[in-house]
Amino acid sequence: MKTRQTPIALTIAGSDPSGGAGIQSDLKTFAALGVSGRSVIAALTAQNSLGVSETFDVPPQTVLAQMDSVFDDTPPLAVKTGMLGDAQVVLALADSLKVRRAKNLVVDPVFRSTSGKTLLSKEGVAAMIEHLLPQAVLVTPNLKEAEVLSEMRIKSSADRVKAARAILKKGPKAVLITGGHGKGDPVDTFCEEGRVHELVSERIGGKVSVHGTGCVLSAAIAAHLAQGDDLLEAVTRAKQFINVAIVFSECSGKGAPFANPMASLYREMERFDALNRVCASIERLKGNDIGRLVPEVQSNIGYGLKLALNRDDVVGFPGRITKIGNEIAVPAPPCFGGSRHVADIVLTAMNFDREKRAVMNIKYEPRLIQICKKLKLSIGSFDRADEPKKVKTKEGSSLEWGTASAIEAMGKVPDIIYDIGGFGKEEMIRVIANDMESLTDLILKIGKLYNAK
């Protein structure tokens, strides 16, 4: 059987034993983007989420031996560099990459750690400027690194463009000055001969500094170049990738959170699992006379991803759950964003307790509330008469307000939230649980007692 050739990308960087940056995060990024990763360790560090405590040089001949083993097998389609340690390693790498005619070289000029540790000597910086930048298809400095490379202070948007052009004169085909370390929403300045693009993003994570973002971004650019993207397309897609990695950063230590390059991959897996679990729950509910619990406006289910951010992260049924006699039916399969109303309840509940991810609405009857009490479920409620005018006039905000009001009054997310309706609004019960299996168990228990007349 003929195997498919996966694009290969190479990272030449320092080793981070905490896994938050360097070689380790680069390889995770390559894997997440479907690229086969190769690595050359150019420096060693002792670091964790609190910072870098020590660095250790790797002999140039050891670095070159690793390079030879990679290139003599299958030359990579893209190469990125990170922490290189000292001038001797920079010079040796520059010569080797030139002889090898390395493709798509992305240089991430790592000079200092976030905690202030020097990661490349002054001689190493000079060697990088003279020998490595001229071979680069792209160099990706942050604002402080760009100041070093351009030999100027950067205080404004115009300064970023001026600095990028100054770096461009040192030999790389393009420059991307990343703006994540600046104030306000980050602006990345992409500059190549003949054009400048300012790539604006929303500030993610507030004032929290996320570790490893530069490594993940440059590795993602290299991965997309290895897959055949042109340079600006690779940069744009890599920015989208790093945004997700920041949103779903990992707090796995006592210090700074790490960018999570596997987040996109994990979320796709979770989305598939969530859909399957909702479908399995509906099958469990069928054949149990659950149709008797369906209100006049019909029912729906909402099931949010673990880190749901908006309605598109919540599974629901676009055609709702209908009743046929005493049974239920679903006119359309579940999908993400399938139910606006129930999704709003899920998202509001998750704002108070990230574990409360599953909701189903059923009809309101005093007897059903008594059944919930018999099952020892915690019960909250809200009164639509108390709904503020600004909430009433804002389309789709009533359920968020009502859910939040009931939760705040209880001091926790209850198992049941109900209201007795209002003008043009049907009374309703919402059943809330941690997951689909627990939600289904609750609905079956309520239905069994309700049907036992």
Side-chain angles (χ1 to χ4, degrees):
M1 182 179 69
K2 187 176 182 180
T3 57
R4 182 177 69 88
Q5 180 64 50
T6 304
I8 294 173
L10 167 65
T11 171
I12 307 169
S15 173
D16 175 0
S18 72
I23 289 286
Q24 287 82 350
S25 70
D26 291 345
L27 290 175
K28 285 187 279 189
T29 300
F30 292 161
L33 290 171
V35 170
S36 183
R38 304 289 186 271
S39 63
V40 169
I41 298 177
L44 297 169
T45 70
Q47 66 174 294
N48 54 28
S49 65
L50 298 171
V52 179
S53 56
E54 290 189 70
T55 63
F56 309 91
D57 293 336
V58 173
Q61 60 269 28
T62 303
V63 175
L64 291 179
Q66 296 175 76
M67 290 276 290
D68 290 342
S69 66
V70 172
F71 277 88
D72 289 346
D73 189 2
T74 304
L77 296 177
V79 179
K80 70 143 285 188
T81 64
M83 176 187 175
L84 299 180
D86 61 29
Q88 287 70 34
V89 169
V90 174
L91 291 170
L93 280 174
D95 286 344
S96 179
L97 290 168
K98 189 173 183 178
V99 169
R100 297 283 188 176
R101 296 183 179 180
K103 298 178 180 178
N104 294 317
L105 174 62
V106 177
V107 174
D108 180 14
V110 179
F111 299 156
R112 296 181 73 82
S113 70
T114 304
S115 57
K117 192 79 171 178
T118 298
L119 302 180
L120 183 62
S121 64
K122 290 183 179 179
E123 295 79 9
V125 173
M128 175 180 287
I129 293 172
E130 183 176 353
H131 298 282
L132 204 55
L133 292 196
Q135 299 184 54
V137 68
L138 179 70
V139 58
T140 63
N142 60 32
L143 289 170
K144 290 197 174 295
E145 292 160 350
E147 288 183 338
V148 173
L149 294 178
S150 64
E151 300 177 274
M152 63 171 282
R153 294 294 302 275
I154 300 175
K155 296 184 178 180
S156 66
S157 176
D159 287 344
R160 287 197 300 269
V161 175
K162 187 176 179 181
R165 285 175 171 156
I167 298 169
L168 203 61
K169 291 179 180 179
K170 299 181 186 296
K173 291 183 179 179
V175 178
L176 178 70
I177 298 179
T178 60
H181 290 82
K183 296 179 180 179
D185 286 338
V187 178
D188 295 351
T189 302
F190 177 81
C191 180
E192 60 182 345
E193 189 174 354
R195 64 174 175 173
V196 175
H197 291 273
E198 288 198 332
L199 309 172
V200 184
S201 305
E202 284 187 28
R203 173 69 61 182
I204 300 171
K207 296 181 180 179
V208 177
S209 178
V210 178
H211 182 52
T213 55
C215 299
V216 173
L217 176 65
S218 55
I221 294 170
H224 285 300
L225 290 173
Q227 292 172 324
D229 290 358
D230 65 38
L231 189 53
L232 183 56
E233 182 183 14
V235 168
T236 302
R237 295 180 68 185
K239 276 180 60 63
Q240 295 169 349
F241 181 85
I242 188 60
N243 285 346
V244 175
I246 293 171
V247 168
F248 300 104
S249 56
E250 299 177 293
C251 296
S252 56
K254 299 176 182 178
F258 300 155
N260 182 6
M262 302 302 287
S264 297
L265 191 62
Y266 291 159
R267 279 176 70 77
E268 286 306 311
M269 294 169 59
E270 189 188 357
R271 290 171 77 87
F272 178 76
D273 178 66
L275 288 168
N276 283 339
R277 292 171 79 169
V278 171
C279 289
S281 290
I282 283 293
E283 291 305 311
R284 283 184 64 199
L285 293 175
K286 289 178 178 178
N288 286 283
D289 291 342
I290 299 302
R292 300 188 65 202
L293 298 179
V294 175
E296 291 301 317
V297 294
Q298 303 176 339
S299 290
N300 215 321
I301 282 174
Y303 184 44
L305 299 179
K306 291 178 182 177
L307 293 172
L309 300 176
N310 52 50
R311 293 167 181 165
D312 289 335
D313 292 334
V314 182
V315 179
F317 289 91
R320 302 189 184 183
I321 299 170
T322 63
K323 58 181 175 181
I324 302 175
N326 291 336
E327 293 301 328
I328 59 171
V330 286
C335 65
F336 284 91
S339 171
R340 186 189 75 185
H341 295 298
V342 180
D344 286 344
I345 299 171
V346 172
L347 294 170
T348 303
M350 290 183 70
N351 282 337
F352 290 89
D353 184 344
R354 300 302 296 182
E355 297 298 315
K356 301 298 182 181
R357 298 161 46 207
V359 172
M360 181 174 176
N361 69 302
I362 61 175
K363 70 181 182 181
Y364 169 83
E365 280 185 16
R367 180 167 168 252
L368 282 169
I369 297 300
Q370 292 304 314
I371 287 172
C372 292
K373 289 179 179 179
K374 185 175 181 179
L375 291 170
K376 300 186 184 304
L377 301 179
S378 56
I379 301 171
S381 65
F382 62 93
D383 188 342
R384 288 187 180 271
D386 297 331
E387 190 175 335
K389 185 176 180 181
K390 64 180 181 180
V391 174
K392 291 180 180 178
T393 57
K394 184 180 178 183
E395 176 66 24
S397 61
S398 292
L399 290 176
E400 295 176 52
W401 169 82
T403 303
S405 296
I407 293 170
E408 287 167 354
M410 288 283 293
K412 66 175 184 177
V413 180
D415 303 313
I416 301 294
I417 294 178
Y418 75 91
D419 74 283
I420 57 173
F423 182 75
K425 303 288 185 180
E426 184 180 356
E427 62 270 27
M428 196 71 61
I429 294 174
R430 295 97 187 164
V431 184
I432 305 172
N434 287 10
D435 51 53
M436 281 309 304
E437 292 75 21
S438 300
L439 177 66
T440 308
D441 288 342
L442 281 180
I443 296 295
L444 287 172
K445 288 177 182 177
I446 293 169
K448 183 177 180 180
L449 292 176
Y450 184 69
N451 292 329
K453 288 187 176 180

